[in-house]
């Protein structure tokens, strides 16, 4: 059974359809990518799933419960880490708990064990400006996890990182997903990233944006860098490029 399911989601702005009849699903501990060109409506879909925007048509189901138009059920991390520069990392990642009504001291105690899990030991009292890009993203992901521990929506979270740091973060995130049993829906424009990380890929194209193809990646994850050089990888890449051209 899917943890998260969208059923025929359509969203309009000023009478114009931005996305149309979008149906996707995410299963437990699965990483699914939404891949497509800019302007296809991927972020609009995430805004609808997270409850920031109401759909004009369709439903969002989480564990079978209709959460359409409701915020607070699903974690959502945007492209930038958006850490508060004037707060310590400890207080940044505690923020979702405080917003839910937890006292600051209690929230700090709650998040403390997760600093080791997320590889952030020793950063608790530091400010974001003192952290590298990769460490800031880890902190942002921990804050996202504190918001909701079941499903995360990630909108190009690694796009600002250099290639070496990005590859390291890929492997780290897959390990964290397995460790804390997190399911992830992930937006990317990077075909290599999608193939390397995903269990499945939804291709989203057109105006209005629609799901035009679903691709299952059969290679078990985590996948090594050597996989990028295999014929199997190149075949997936050819299939995606051809489908995006047709879309």
């Amino acid at each position: 059974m899917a943890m998260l399911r969208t059923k025929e989601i359509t969203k309009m702005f000023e009478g114009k359809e931005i996305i149309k009849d979008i149906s996707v699903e995410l299963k437990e501990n699965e990483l699914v990518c939404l891949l497509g060109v800019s302007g296809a409506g991927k972020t609009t879909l995430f805004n609808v799933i997270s409850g920031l925007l109401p759909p004009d048509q369709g439903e969002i189901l989480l564990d079978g419960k209709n959460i359409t138009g409701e915020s607070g059920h699903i974690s959502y991390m945007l492209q930038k880490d958006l850490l508060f520069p004037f707060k310590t990392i400890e207080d940044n990642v505690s923020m979702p708990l405080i917003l839910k009504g937890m006292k600051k001291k209690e929230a700090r105690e709650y998040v403390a064990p997760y600093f080791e899990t997320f590889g952030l030991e020793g950063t608790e009292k530091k400010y974001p400006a003192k952290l590298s890009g990769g460490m800031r993203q880890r902190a942002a992901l921990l804050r996202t996890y504190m918001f909701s521990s079941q499903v995360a929506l990630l909108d190009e979270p690694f796009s600002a990182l250099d290639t070496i740091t990005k590859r390291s973060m890929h492997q780290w995130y897959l390990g964290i997903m397995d460790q804390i049993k997190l399911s992830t829906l992930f937006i990317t424009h990077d075909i290599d990233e999608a193939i390397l990380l995903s269990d499945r890929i939804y291709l989203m194209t057109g105006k209005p944006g629609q799901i035009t193809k679903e691709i299952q990646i059969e290679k078990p994850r985590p996948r090594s860098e050597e996989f990028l050089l295999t014929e199997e990888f190149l075949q997936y890449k050819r299939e995606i490029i051809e489908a995006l051209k047709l879309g």
Side-chain angles (χ1 to χ4, degrees):
M1 178 180 173
M3 292 189 67
L4 175 68
R5 185 190 303 271
T6 74
K7 298 174 67 175
E8 299 182 343
I9 295 296
T10 294
K11 180 62 184 174
M12 304 176 71
F13 286 112
E14 298 179 348
K16 182 179 180 181
E17 289 180 332
I18 305 301
I19 55 175
K20 182 178 181 180
D21 296 333
I22 302 289
S23 296
V24 300
E25 66 176 34
L26 178 68
K27 298 173 184 174
E28 186 176 359
N29 205 33
E30 198 177 34
L31 192 152
V32 174
C33 273
L34 279 176
L35 176 64
V37 298
S38 297
K42 299 182 295 298
T43 298
T44 297
L45 176 61
F46 268 26
N47 287 337
V48 171
I49 293 173
S50 66
L52 295 178
L53 291 174
D56 290 289
Q57 173 186 303
E59 294 180 334
I60 311 294
L61 303 176
L62 181 64
D63 285 334
K65 178 186 175 184
N66 191 330
I67 61 165
T68 309
E70 299 178 11
S71 60
H73 296 283
I74 296 174
S75 298
Y76 185 9
M77 180 174 162
L78 302 173
Q79 200 167 1
K80 296 181 180 179
D81 60 62
L82 299 179
L83 297 173
F84 294 109
F86 52 87
K87 288 185 177 291
T88 63
I89 299 303
E90 177 182 54
D91 287 339
N92 263 286
V93 302
S94 299
M95 188 58 62
L97 302 176
I98 294 169
L99 291 174
K100 291 179 181 179
M102 192 178 288
K103 299 293 186 183
K104 182 183 287 189
K105 183 176 183 292
E106 185 182 356
R108 285 175 173 174
E109 291 172 353
Y110 184 90
V111 302
Y114 289 95
F115 275 80
E116 181 178 358
T117 303
F118 278 71
L120 288 164
E121 313 98 299
T123 69
E124 291 89 340
K125 303 301 183 184
K126 293 183 178 179
Y127 289 88
K130 298 296 183 182
L131 270 59
S132 67
M135 293 296 276
R136 288 173 63 105
Q137 289 302 94
R138 290 188 186 208
L141 286 162
L142 175 52
R143 183 179 61 183
T144 300
Y145 179 68
M146 286 298 117
F147 186 79
S148 171
S149 59
Q150 283 186 295
V151 174
L153 307 179
L154 305 184
D155 191 345
E156 296 195 83
F158 309 131
S159 61
L161 302 176
D162 63 82
T163 301
I164 294 174
T165 304
K166 181 188 286 191
R167 294 293 185 239
S168 173
M169 287 294 292
H170 287 164
Q171 296 306 312
W172 171 81
Y173 186 72
L174 291 175
I176 285 290
M177 268 189 63
D178 289 338
Q179 187 175 346
I180 63 179
K181 307 302 180 187
L182 182 65
S183 303
T184 305
L185 194 57
F186 188 105
I187 288 176
T188 184
H189 292 96
D190 185 333
I191 295 174
D192 289 7
E193 182 174 62
I195 299 171
L196 196 59
L197 294 180
S198 303
D199 296 297
R200 291 180 295 113
I201 300 170
Y202 287 111
L203 299 186
M204 195 167 170
T205 61
K207 290 187 178 181
Q210 295 181 283
I211 301 298
T212 50
K213 192 176 183 69
E214 179 185 344
I215 297 172
Q216 180 90 32
I217 306 297
E218 301 294 343
K219 179 80 171 177
R221 56 175 177 82
R223 300 162 192 137
S224 68
E225 290 294 303
E226 287 72 23
F227 178 59
L228 294 166
L229 304 175
T230 64
E231 180 57 35
E232 183 181 4
F233 176 88
L234 293 174
Q235 184 55 44
Y236 283 126
K237 192 166 185 176
R238 291 186 196 103
E239 181 180 358
I240 290 169
I241 290 171
E242 189 62 31
L244 291 176
K245 285 179 181 177
L246 294 175

